Amino acid sequence: MRRWIGVPLLTAAVALAGAFAAEPAAAQDAEALRRELEQMRKQFDSMKESYEKAINNLSERLQKLESAPPPTPPPVTVAPSPPAVASQAPPATPAPSGTPSLMDLARPREPFSLYERRGAGQLLFDMGITGDFIGNLTQYNVQQAQGGTFDGLENYFFPREIELNLFGQIDPYARAEVRFEAGQDTRGESINVSLAEANLTLMTLPFNTQAKLGQMRVRFGLSNEIHEHDLPFIDRPDVLREFFGDNGLVEKGGEVTWVPSLPFYLQFLGGLFDGDNETAFGLASIKYPLVTGRVRTFIDLDEWGAIQLGMSVANGLQPDRLNNLILGWDMKYKYVPEGWQHPLFTTAGELLYQIRRVNSSGEDLNGDGIPDTPDEKRTLHRVGGYLYGELQPIRFGFWSRFAGGLRYDWTEYATASGHQWAVQPYLSFLPSEFLRFRLGYKHTEGDTAGCCTNTGIGSARIKDEWFFQSTFIMGAHPAHPF
Amino acid sequence: MSIARRSFCLAVAGIAVTIASGARAADKIRVVATTTDLKALTEAVGGRLVDVDAMARGNQNPHDLEVRPSLMLKVRRADMLVTNGLELDQWAEVVVQGANNPKVVLGAPGRVDASQGISVLEVPTARVDRSMGDVHPVGNPHYTMDPGLAGPITANILEGLARVAPESRSAFDQNRREFLARLDQAMAGWTQTMEPFRGARIVQYHPLFVYFFTRFGLVKGGSVEDRPGIPPTPEHLVRLIAEMKQGGVKLVVVEPWNDIKLAERVAQEAGAKVRVLAPSVGAVKEADTYFAMVDYNVRTIAEALR
């Protein structure tokens, strides 16, 4: 290779020298030409030397790269002791992530070497993908009635939520989060892709307030703001599905939070939304908005764990302009023993109370098919809640990756009469922080015969369901709050 | 006076005392650091002008801290937040989001990333992915283990404090110089203690002491973890034990929050010793200050290798 570079240069120099020599020069010019030739030779020698140095450097680097094991991070070698304490101020930018020099660009490299040289966050936002797959088995009559927990998808394995999550700072004052979601809602049909969330948070507003604007999971209670794959159990609690629908309360609008300067943690939240949720509200107008509120506090018991208490409210209009008010109370307790890296015990629960105005049709008293009493407006009072506990009792080793839990649900139907209860034990296995498998069994009983069919055939009054869930996370995923 | 009225008066008095004590603390610059190491170094620079609190306790693994609202309360009152950076304490962002304190959001004057200007070790030179475990794509974040890096770390803290309280810059600078001078003296002793063991191979549980090893000329002889953050498989442990025997590794070091019994089993099989090191200030009883932490780690390793 050295010869390959050297030969053309030498040839060029000789040719140039020859050209000069071929000039019909006078004798007095011969000395000048000789000097010039000598100078060019020196230049050539110096150039040759610098090329040799560069080639040697490249050869050494190549040798090092070839001898290094490719996939693992480089082993740490004994470095010469750096000066005792570097007291000077650090350079403005960290050396390892600086801009590549011309020599860096000239070096032979793997495709990713320049990409890796980017500074932290040079992409300017983080991204991650989560995948959540569900399989469920249940009785045939439940499938016929399409009344299972995952209605219409009974005895089926399907992607519940494949999510592309993009989040990061917009500028020094705001951050944003965008989530696209794909999942299967109906058996055998193609996957639906939708915008799950897209919002920005203004972080530097006066009076210690923050504002979140866009489409979001409303911060009502504990579970509603949590995405399906992040839930501490397999399915969304019955009361939330009954009062807010299968997807929970996802709305377009804004929320403002305020954390007053007090000796204890207290967060107030107020929200205004369109009210698109068809199950609970549905008028879908910012003129008559869905108004939400939440207050939560936190008691840190140090080595004895911590408790979070919260209260929520959502008030909005239904399409017939009748009011629906839902109140919620929630509690969560977590106990992480000193030095443990996961909670030993977690328990949480929510209680919801709905006050809903509905149009009630007149009653047919004499059986002639014609209502004998006039239509009237009534107020329905409905209650529901759930409580769960989870235990991850082993601190280290293979068995530390298992967690077992039990959830109990009890809820009245949002508009119909009657109630249902369910009990659900489940077992989670986490091979790593980014992969989780769950196995669960759910027994549900409704107290009204024929209450639980979406097709008019079959019945899902009593359901026994087996669930299997597998969840993965690729890339960045924001840390979860308490 | 009725019991109810008396209780009410007591409650009001309690709140008044709390607010008054808060007002007293308000005279100082309130700093929250994500780790106890950074707390200690901030106290060294800030001296009596600062009131510093840490989010993670010394014996907590700072990789994956539970984000409690009580942490948000600390940050809510802070004038400055010092983070480790290099993706060690990314959870701090969730805390900041829940704290509603514009003084410490990313890009605010009260926000300090202590890793600025650090020569980061173990920056991957090949493409990394999660099959390699919980690798840090921007390099090993445990630089506070190296007392020699206290200079650039405290320089970052000094700049942050000077942004928040420019009138006290000279006092901070003086504090820092005094601290570094004391550290220089201590460093001479630590270097002397470790000198006979230069080149000694040591197995770690998690690659947490790489900066410390590099400083004192020790060599990483493997990790009990198969890959960072991934529990070891039996095959990996068998291989590690064989390598330890072959390489004459005499010491396994472990953090207090990792599986000490497993480290002991590995060491026993390989004919080595196990020692619990202090991966942060307050991680063990003897490491209650920054100097004590370094001193404890140096003494523990030296005694084990002697």
Side-chain angles (χ1 to χ4, degrees):
Chain A
M1 191 173 170
R2 251 178 259 180
R3 193 172 290 170
W4 182 82
I5 294 173
V7 167
L9 280 170
L10 192 60
T11 315
V14 170
L16 209 57
F20 279 112
E23 287 285 315
Q28 65 266 31
D29 292 337
E31 189 57 27
L33 281 172
R34 206 168 288 123
R35 277 202 304 271
E36 205 168 337
L37 187 63
E38 190 57 32
Q39 202 178 348
M40 287 187 74
R41 273 203 188 108
K42 277 181 185 167
Q43 276 176 356
F44 170 71
D45 286 345
S46 138
M47 203 186 294
K48 197 177 150 192
E49 201 180 335
S50 69
Y51 265 95
E52 274 178 355
K53 273 184 188 167
I55 287 162
N56 286 341
N57 280 342
L58 287 173
S59 305
E60 274 172 33
R61 282 179 57 83
L62 184 66
Q63 216 168 350
K64 275 181 196 165
L65 281 172
E66 281 172 351
S67 59
T72 47
V76 173
T77 50
V78 185
S81 287
V85 180
S87 59
Q88 75 282 10
T93 48
S97 55
T99 316
S101 66
L102 278 175
M103 277 311 288
D104 287 330
L105 291 166
R107 279 178 192 131
R109 58 185 185 270
E110 292 176 47
F112 283 89
S113 60
L114 276 182
Y115 174 70
E116 280 147 14
R117 279 177 174 272
R118 78 200 195 281
Q122 208 172 63
L123 185 61
L124 302 182
F125 59 89
D126 291 314
M127 66 170 87
I129 294 175
T130 55
D132 186 43
F133 292 83
I134 296 283
N136 70 116
L137 289 171
T138 186
Q139 298 105 317
Y140 183 62
N141 55 306
V142 177
Q143 182 182 330
Q144 273 192 314
Q146 293 190 3
T149 297
F150 303 102
D151 50 342
L153 294 166
E154 294 85 0
N155 299 316
Y156 200 60
F157 181 78
F158 61 97
R160 174 169 62 168
E161 190 182 72
I162 311 296
E163 189 180 272
L164 172 64
N165 189 9
L166 313 168
F167 57 98
Q169 289 287 133
I170 302 169
D171 59 20
Y173 319 108
R175 55 179 289 114
E177 186 169 3
V178 177
R179 294 176 195 248
F180 294 99
E181 193 179 274
Q184 193 162 1
D185 296 333
T186 318
R187 186 185 300 267
E189 286 196 3
S190 56
I191 305 288
N192 299 316
V193 181
S194 63
L195 181 68
E197 280 193 86
N199 54 66
L200 66 94
T201 305
L202 301 169
M203 310 213 20
T204 56
L205 295 179
F207 310 114
N208 296 98
T209 56
Q210 283 184 3
K212 191 173 175 181
L213 302 165
Q215 181 174 323
M216 65 197 83
R217 295 200 71 88
V218 177
R219 283 180 270 186
F220 181 100
L222 279 180
S223 299
N224 188 69
E225 68 169 306
I226 303 175
H227 287 236
E228 309 285 343
H229 67 267
D230 275 338
L231 286 169
F233 16 72
I234 296 169
D235 60 320
R236 208 165 275 288
D238 289 354
V239 63
L240 293 177
R241 290 193 301 120
E242 192 59 45
F243 286 10
F244 294 127
D246 287 347
N247 292 326
L249 193 55
V250 182
E251 289 286 346
K252 292 182 280 289
E255 279 178 347
V256 175
T257 59
W258 177 51
V259 180
S261 186
L262 291 170
F264 53 95
Y265 185 81
L266 198 62
Q267 186 191 49
F268 294 96
L269 179 151
L272 285 179
F273 298 96
D274 284 340
D276 289 320
N277 184 282
E278 287 175 5
T279 309
F281 308 104
L283 184 63
S285 165
I286 197 69
K287 198 173 171 191
Y288 304 100
L290 161 65
V291 181
T292 64
R294 176 163 168 77
V295 56
R296 69 168 173 148
T297 188
F298 184 82
I299 303 158
D300 200 332
L301 306 169
D302 268 330
E303 66 265 40
W304 296 107
I307 302 174
Q308 180 179 281
L309 300 168
M311 210 173 91
S312 308
V313 59
N315 187 69
L317 296 179
Q318 302 164 72
D320 50 12
R321 294 182 179 253
L322 295 179
N323 198 68
N324 189 11
L325 170 68
I326 300 176
L327 301 168
W329 295 266
D330 56 84
M331 171 283 297
K332 185 171 191 179
Y333 169 78
K334 226 187 238 191
Y335 172 54
V336 185
E338 194 79 12
W340 281 47
Q341 293 188 58
H342 61 254
L344 167 66
F345 177 63
T346 309
T347 184
E350 284 185 72
L351 181 71
L352 271 67
Y353 179 55
Q354 178 188 254
I355 305 165
R356 185 171 188 152
R357 294 283 287 165
V358 292
N359 272 317
S360 175
S361 310
E363 274 186 81
D364 177 14
L365 299 174
N366 51 17
D368 60 0
I370 300 165
D372 299 305
T373 58
D375 290 356
E376 58 176 4
K377 291 183 177 61
R378 288 197 301 140
T379 303
L380 301 179
H381 295 264
R382 297 287 186 261
V383 179
Y386 71 92
L387 183 69
Y388 88 96
E390 188 178 288
L391 203 61
Q392 196 173 353
I394 312 291
R395 186 178 175 189
F396 295 121
F398 176 76
W399 295 104
S400 68
R401 304 183 219 169
F402 285 87
L406 182 73
R407 193 182 86 200
Y408 178 78
D409 289 85
W410 190 99
T411 182
E412 288 182 302
Y413 303 121
T415 49
S417 59
H419 74 274
Q420 68 176 44
W421 64 269
V423 62
Q424 180 179 177
Y426 61 89
L427 185 69
S428 301
F429 171 54
L430 300 100
S432 72
E433 199 186 330
F434 311 100
L435 182 63
R436 184 188 61 215
F437 299 103
R438 272 204 190 113
L439 191 63
Y441 164 77
K442 186 178 182 185
H443 175 82
T444 310
E445 283 190 26
D447 69 352
T448 310
C451 69
C452 314
T453 176
N454 291 320
T455 58
I457 53 169
S459 168
R461 194 178 76 79
I462 296 176
K463 292 180 278 196
D464 290 291
E465 297 168 291
W466 285 94
F467 300 133
F468 170 72
Q469 180 188 21
S470 64
T471 309
F472 67 83
I473 297 172
M474 279 199 306
H477 193 262
H480 297 134
F482 178 80
Chain B
M1 195 186 275
S2 71
I3 293 174
R5 190 172 294 179
R6 205 174 294 170
S7 309
F8 177 76
C9 289
L10 275 173
V12 169
I15 290 169
V17 167
T18 314
I19 291 169
S21 63
R24 272 202 304 278
D27 298 340
K28 295 185 172 187
I29 301 166
R30 282 179 292 202
V31 183
V32 173
T34 53
T35 66
T36 48
D37 300 355
L38 295 174
K39 173 181 186 280
L41 292 170
T42 307
E43 282 169 339
V45 178
R48 281 179 294 178
L49 299 173
V50 297
D51 183 22
V52 193
D53 207 343
M55 287 203 249
R57 290 195 293 270
N59 58 359
Q60 278 181 311
N61 186 346
H63 285 93
D64 191 18
L65 198 75
E66 184 181 61
V67 177
R68 292 182 173 195
S70 52
L71 303 181
M72 295 170 186
L73 185 62
K74 286 180 182 179
V75 175
R76 162 68 182 80
R77 301 170 187 158
D79 300 306
M80 186 170 125
L81 173 66
V82 185
T83 61
N84 186 89
L86 300 179
E87 301 191 352
L88 178 77
D89 44 12
Q90 282 180 308
W91 43 263
E93 221 43 60
V94 181
V95 178
V96 171
Q97 284 165 36
N100 287 37
N101 182 354
K103 289 182 204 164
V104 296
V105 298
L106 274 172
R111 185 68 177 260
V112 174
D113 178 351
S115 71
Q116 286 292 307
I118 299 288
S119 295
V120 181
L121 297 179
E122 293 190 331
V123 181
T125 52
R127 187 185 175 191
V128 293
D129 59 47
R130 293 280 178 222
S131 69
M132 299 168 190
D134 195 4
V135 286
H136 292 279
V138 288
N140 191 309
H142 304 290
Y143 58 86
T144 55
M145 291 289 89
D146 177 2
L149 292 177
I153 298 170
T154 51
N156 288 323
I157 293 168
L158 167 68
E159 287 305 316
L161 286 171
R163 281 196 300 270
V164 174
E167 69 283 0
S168 304
R169 176 184 266 278
S170 57
F172 300 140
D173 198 35
Q174 181 63 24
N175 290 342
R176 177 172 175 262
R177 281 174 199 281
E178 284 169 11
F179 171 76
L180 293 180
R182 281 195 296 131
L183 195 65
D184 250 339
Q185 277 182 344
M187 183 69 93
W190 294 328
T191 309
Q192 198 180 352
T193 308
M194 295 302 283
E195 192 54 38
F197 311 112
R198 283 187 76 83
R201 292 168 66 83
I202 298 177
V203 164
Q204 308 172 89
Y205 196 103
H206 177 82
L208 211 148
F209 298 101
V210 170
Y211 288 88
F212 184 87
F213 287 2
T214 307
R215 169 65 47 187
F216 295 110
L218 304 166
V219 181
K220 196 176 100 174
S223 295
V224 175
E225 282 177 339
D226 193 349
R227 278 153 283 187
I230 305 281
T233 58
E235 294 79 15
H236 169 73
L237 294 178
V238 168
R239 200 166 50 240
L240 178 67
I241 290 164
E243 282 169 8
M244 284 173 70
K245 282 179 179 169
Q246 205 176 4
V249 178
K250 295 292 173 207
L251 181 61
V252 178
V253 294
V254 61
E255 308 81 41
W257 53 74
N258 271 325
D259 193 349
I260 298 168
K261 281 184 183 161
L262 179 67
E264 281 171 348
R265 280 213 300 277
V266 169
Q268 200 179 2
E269 290 288 328
K273 292 175 186 171
V274 173
R275 291 292 181 269
V276 177
L277 292 191
S280 49
V281 174
V284 298
K285 216 191 297 175
E286 299 91 327
D288 55 348
T289 65
Y290 187 75
F291 282 93
M293 175 189 75
V294 182
D295 200 51
Y296 169 82
N297 289 339
V298 167
R299 269 188 299 108
T300 305
I301 289 179
E303 281 165 17
L305 291 175
R306 202 161 279 149

